[in-house]
Amino acid sequence: MLRELRQHAGQWDVALAGKTGVEGEAAVTAMMSLLWTGQTSRHGGQQPTREETLAEARMAVDLAVSLVRWFADGAVRRR
């Protein structure tokens, strides 16, 4: 999904778009990127992995839940 957002930048409607209309899309892309790069043990076999803290795990879950909900509810959708 992150690749889709980047390949089709500027083609997404975000319910909370921001002042210029692009901040929302940039924020969604940044959140997805943070989850992808910051949570290394999400699939168990990916290398390199490290022990993550409880705070990191909780933040990753909250971030993922928000993103999934926004896409499922249509708050973020491709035009």
Side-chain angles (χ1 to χ4, degrees):
M1 195 62 215
L2 184 55
R3 181 176 47 224
E4 284 292 309
L5 277 169
R6 288 179 175 156
Q7 285 180 349
H8 303 284
Q11 298 178 19
W12 297 88
D13 286 325
V14 180
L16 190 60
K19 187 174 182 178
T20 66
V22 296
E23 294 96 345
E25 183 178 329
V28 170
T29 302
M31 290 170 67
M32 290 179 78
S33 182
L34 177 62
L35 186 59
W36 182 254
T37 59
Q39 219 264 327
T40 62
S41 65
R42 66 190 165 277
H43 294 289
Q46 185 179 356
Q47 295 295 328
T49 61
R50 61 175 172 72
E51 287 291 319
E52 293 173 347
T53 67
L54 180 59
E56 287 175 297
R58 286 181 173 165
M59 188 171 179
V61 168
D62 290 343
L63 191 53
V65 167
S66 294
L67 288 164
V68 168
R69 177 172 290 145
W70 294 344
F71 280 92
D73 290 347
V76 180
R77 64 183 184 283
R78 193 164 170 196
R79 283 189 207 116

